[in-house]
Amino acid sequence: MKISNGEVRFFLAAGLLGALGCGLSEYQQKYEKQQERMNYLDQENQYLGSPLNVPAPKESKNVPPKVFLRLPIGISPNHDEKPEGILYRYPKSGSKISVDSNVKPSEIDSAFFAVETDKDWNEIKKRALEPFKGVDLQNVPTVNLEVPGRPPRTFQTITFRYGDDPAWTYQFYFYKDDVYRVAIGFRGTDKVMASDNAKQAMEYSVKTLAVGKAASR
């Protein structure tokens, strides 16, 4: 069967358009993923402020752990001088929050943080909650949290009330990888911790956690 020059040109044009179509489709997918990532960061910035200052090792010869974590707006990046067990408390900031329609303060009272390396996973959870007598760690549910463009990560989480005057609601998240074991906690009144703003702020904060080389980036 003989193919004319016109037919050759037709098939070449069709092939070129197909190739361009594949390229455009791939570009569109990358653009949409990038746009999703940018939209997510805009939402994150509505709830989060500065990253916390990681506590220095108790022994000066030890290398500080590489950790990155942004805290909810209104929480100081500086921890109290004295820890509660292995937990460091990050109190409310003394700075006034500027009125901005894009900012959503959560009114969370405090954040808590602890990090250790190469330690027993169950032991660090137990030690992190030692200041809260009677908290049951037998049934701690897991939750998968995902950021656009990254694989989901698994955390264990627990919510409990503690204290009488005042009574606080606490929510803790626990994370581990091959090296790091991290405890992240938040505290507020029952009303605050049940609010959408607080729930969003806590989740966005926990999802910023990065350890090791990822924290350096």
Side-chain angles (χ1 to χ4, degrees), residues 145-204:
L145 300 180
E146 186 174 2
V147 174
R150 300 178 189 170
R153 290 182 297 171
T154 300
F155 294 82
Q156 290 188 328
T157 183
I158 185 172
T159 304
F160 58 90
R161 295 180 81 251
Y162 189 80
D164 295 320
D165 189 20
W168 296 106
T169 294
Y170 292 80
Q171 181 155 345
F172 272 81
Y173 295 84
F174 301 99
Y175 173 79
K176 70 170 181 175
D177 68 1
D178 293 340
V179 177
Y180 288 84
R181 286 86 173 97
V182 182
I184 305 165
F186 304 95
R187 180 178 82 180
T189 64
D190 292 351
K191 181 178 179 180
V192 165
M193 296 295 276
S195 69
D196 289 338
N197 274 9
K199 291 177 181 178
Q200 293 279 17
M202 289 187 289
E203 189 166 301
Y204 276 116

Side-chain angles (χ1 to χ4, degrees), residues 91-200:
K92 272 190 174 182
S93 172
S95 303
K96 187 176 180 180
I97 300 173
S98 60
V99 179
D100 188 330
S101 59
N102 291 324
V103 171
K104 299 181 179 180
S106 64
E107 300 301 326
I108 291 172
D109 173 78
S110 306
F112 298 86
F113 178 79
V115 57
E116 294 191 354
T117 57
D118 300 320
K119 296 292 179 68
D120 182 84
W121 174 226
N122 291 319
E123 184 65 20
I124 187 174
K125 289 185 289 184
K126 180 180 177 181
R127 291 174 60 207
L129 297 185
E130 273 183 356
F132 314 104
K133 306 301 181 184
V135 176
D136 184 9
L137 273 170
Q138 294 301 313
N139 296 306
V140 182
T142 60
V143 59
N144 292 319
L145 300 180
E146 186 174 2
V147 174
R150 300 178 189 170
R153 290 182 297 171
T154 300
F155 294 82
Q156 290 188 328
T157 183
I158 185 172
T159 304
F160 58 90
R161 295 180 81 251
Y162 189 80
D164 295 320
D165 189 20
W168 296 106
T169 294
Y170 292 80
Q171 181 155 345
F172 272 81
Y173 295 84
F174 301 99
Y175 173 79
K176 70 170 181 175
D177 68 1
D178 293 340
V179 177
Y180 288 84
R181 286 86 173 97
V182 182
I184 305 165
F186 304 95
R187 180 178 82 180
T189 64
D190 292 351
K191 181 178 179 180
V192 165
M193 296 295 276
S195 69
D196 289 338
N197 274 9
K199 291 177 181 178
Q200 293 279 17

Side-chain angles (χ1 to χ4, degrees), residues 7-54:
E7 289 174 319
V8 170
R9 285 194 295 271
F10 170 79
F11 287 122
L12 287 173
L16 178 60
L17 287 173
L20 286 174
C22 292
L24 288 173
S25 176
E26 183 179 352
Y27 173 81
Q28 181 68 21
Q29 289 176 359
K30 289 182 178 179
Y31 174 80
E32 289 175 354
K33 288 181 180 179
Q34 182 64 20
Q35 190 62 46
E36 181 184 14
R37 173 69 175 158
M38 296 303 295
N39 291 340
Y40 177 86
L41 291 176
D42 287 341
Q43 294 170 0
E44 182 183 276
N45 288 331
Q46 292 179 345
Y47 294 95
L48 303 184
S50 302
L52 58 73
N53 292 319
V54 180

Side-chain angles (χ1 to χ4, degrees), residues 48-53 68-78 205:
L48 303 184
S50 302
L52 58 73
N53 292 319
F68 177 89
L69 179 76
R70 288 183 69 184
L71 296 172
I73 289 172
I75 300 296
S76 171
N78 301 314
S205 175

